[in-house]
Amino acid sequence: MTRMARRAASLQPTIFTAMTDLANRHRAINLGQGFPDFAAGEAIKRSAVRAIKQDCNQYAPSNGQPQLREAIAAKMSRQYGLQFDPGSQIAVTVGATEALFAALFSLLDPGDEVVLFEPCYDSYRPAISMAGGVSRPLTLRPPDWHVDRDELERLISPRTRLLLLNSPQNPIGKVFNREELRAIAELCVRHDVIAVTDEVYEHILFEGEHIPLATLPGMADRTLTISSLAKTFSVTGWKVGWAAGPADLVEALLRVKQFITFCGAAPLQTAAAEALAVGEDFYQRLKEDYRQRRDFLCELLADVGLPPLTPQGTYFVCVDIGALGRGNDIAFCRDLTERVGVAAIPVSPFCSNPDDGRDLVRFAFCKSRPVLEEAAKRLRAGAGM
């Protein structure tokens, strides 16, 4: 008899853990797990060291350091024209994942339904399920991952409480366009649905523009916008995230968060506040840097016979292995890791119906140039595997 609770027993180790362990055993280049392997900027590291030396080492307020909440409000106003009260409409969290988890637990009652877009980040469905909710996925299809408005509306029922949106979207690199967002917003307003948006890749974008759902008509008062420092500033280990939205939604999130972590690391929040004051040229350089990495990897994949689905955003690119007659993503990734020495992530675990992702494999390009070049060497040597 297991001593594990049923809710825990139903959960398996993430595909990231499994593939990283396999990569380590075979000394493979890990293009699976999405973390930058290059150093964060010197300025943000100095800010964190300075905060520690100045004894900013005790508990932060549960809703976050005041200067960070003010910096988030200023950033949202400057970049998107969104106005938030730092005192009541912004909460600092231990990464965006905690913000999502606390939001779902604070806004869902048992049986409430959540509309989401698949393939999606693999924490969404377990969090919805643990909160007592029911996932109602709309599967997006390559090559353009188009949102069908009628199909989306058919998913909405009297039990629909939330819509969960990730743009730019992991793992597929889709950036939702204005027409799609307008349709989503109209349906949320018509059916009185709350939106929770995961916008952690907001500044890693190559085509189109990042349009926060909260900026569309009728959405400011029904959207909880979540983002983080991790991807933009290459500090995934800091776990500094935030949620911004109407005061009642933020208060609900904080009522749950106080019993999860209470607060995050105070000196890192102080450093984050300084980082968010950077000029717009920083974000432009970030885009161009990642564009070069994306183009390098996409050209390589095409050259070795792995047709890439060029992403509009994020630092991931998917490959369609179905066209190669290799439509088993998990077997393909294991073989690639063991025989070629390059690890990728199968996409089927990102889908409630694994067959919807069986033809897709995700590679990460948030890696240093020498690592990408070594991966290129191995992939060329293993071409036609």
Side-chain angles (χ1 to χ4, degrees):
M1 182 178 72
T2 180
R3 293 192 289 182
M4 200 179 291
R6 285 192 296 272
R7 74 173 65 88
S10 68
L11 304 174
Q12 298 298 317
T14 72
I15 190 64
F16 302 103
T17 299
M19 292 307 303
T20 295
D21 287 348
L22 187 68
N24 290 340
R25 289 202 303 274
H26 291 274
R27 298 185 179 182
I29 299 293
N30 191 348
L31 301 188
Q33 198 165 7
F35 63 89
D37 69 346
F38 42 84
E42 290 300 318
I44 192 172
K45 291 189 289 187
R46 285 195 299 268
S47 295
V49 172
R50 184 166 58 250
I52 292 170
K53 288 183 174 180
Q54 291 175 350
D55 291 321
C56 179
N57 298 310
Q58 306 309 320
Y59 292 124
S62 186
N63 63 342
Q65 295 280 46
Q67 61 265 47
L68 177 53
R69 286 183 277 117
E70 291 166 2
I72 293 165
K75 173 187 181 297
M76 299 290 276
S77 175
R78 181 175 68 248
Q79 294 180 333
Y80 306 123
L82 289 167
Q83 305 302 318
F84 295 103
D85 174 12
S88 64
Q89 295 184 311
I90 293 175
V92 177
T93 58
V94 182
T97 300
E98 186 195 43
L100 288 159
F101 193 89
L104 293 168
F105 266 73
S106 64
L107 299 175
L108 292 177
D109 285 320
D112 284 347
E113 296 179 352
V114 181
V115 172
L116 68 163
F117 302 90
E118 290 187 345
C120 65
Y121 182 51
D122 71 336
S123 77
Y124 294 171
R125 291 191 310 276
I128 292 167
S129 178
M130 283 190 281
V134 178
S135 297
R136 299 276 286 162
L138 175 63
T139 301
L140 306 179
R141 310 285 181 184
D144 60 358
W145 315 104
H146 174 68
V147 176
D148 184 290
R149 186 187 189 284
D150 294 337
E151 187 180 358
L152 178 61
E153 187 162 24
R154 285 194 292 271
L155 291 175
I156 299 174
S157 79
R159 297 293 298 172
T160 303
R161 174 72 169 165
L162 293 180
L163 179 140
L164 180 53
L165 174 72
N166 176 209
S167 183
Q169 184 166 344
N170 173 19
I172 60 178
K174 174 184 173 58
V175 175
F176 286 70
N177 62 41
R178 188 173 294 276
E179 179 183 355
E180 291 170 327
L181 293 172
R182 187 179 294 117
I184 291 167
E186 289 171 354
L187 291 173
C188 286
V189 172
R190 178 184 304 172
H191 296 279
D192 193 24
V193 172
I194 297 168
V196 175
T197 65
D198 176 354
E199 304 184 15
V200 297
Y201 296 100
E202 60 184 309
H203 297 298
I204 303 177
L205 181 138
F206 316 112
E207 275 84 43
E209 59 178 325
H210 178 65
I211 305 169
L213 189 62
T215 63
L216 273 70
M219 294 306 295
D221 194 47
R222 65 175 64 248
T223 302
L224 195 62
T225 302
I226 292 169
S227 194
S228 83
L229 205 70
K231 306 322 192 261
T232 302
F233 292 92
S234 301
V235 287
T236 59
W238 284 24
K239 299 298 289 182
V240 177
W242 56 83
D248 61 329
L249 299 187
V250 172
E251 179 187 358
L253 181 151
L254 286 169
R255 289 191 184 191
V256 171
K257 177 197 160 41
Q258 67 183 329
F259 297 115
I260 303 174
T261 58
F262 183 74
C263 68
L268 301 184
Q269 292 185 30
T270 299
E274 293 186 31
L276 292 182
V278 296
E280 293 304 307
D281 58 330
F282 169 85
Y283 298 104
Q284 189 58 42
R285 290 196 303 272
L286 180 77
K287 289 179 184 179
E288 289 308 312
D289 177 71
Y290 272 119
R291 183 190 299 276
Q292 292 176 23
R293 296 173 200 270
R294 178 199 68 167
D295 291 349
F296 177 83
L297 184 56
C298 284
E299 289 171 12
L300 165 66
L301 292 169
D303 286 346
V304 299
L306 297 174
L309 298 162
T310 304
Q312 298 172 308
T314 75
Y315 45 50
F316 306 113
V317 55
C318 285
V319 164
D320 182 357
I321 61 170
L324 309 175
R326 299 289 298 275
N328 184 324
D329 58 332
I330 294 175
F332 181 90
C333 287
R334 290 189 64 88
D335 197 31
L336 190 71
T337 303
E338 294 170 357
R339 294 179 53 197
V340 179
V342 176
I345 290 289
V347 172
S348 60
F350 294 82
C351 303
S352 52
N353 177 3
D355 287 342
D356 289 333
R358 200 71 76 194
D359 290 344
L360 298 170
V361 167
R362 192 198 78 173
F363 292 83
F365 52 87
C366 50
K367 307 300 176 183
S368 62
R369 190 62 179 239
V371 168
L372 290 175
E373 288 175 349
E374 175 61 23
K377 185 187 304 181
R378 297 185 185 192
L379 286 168
R380 289 191 180 102
M385 55 175 261

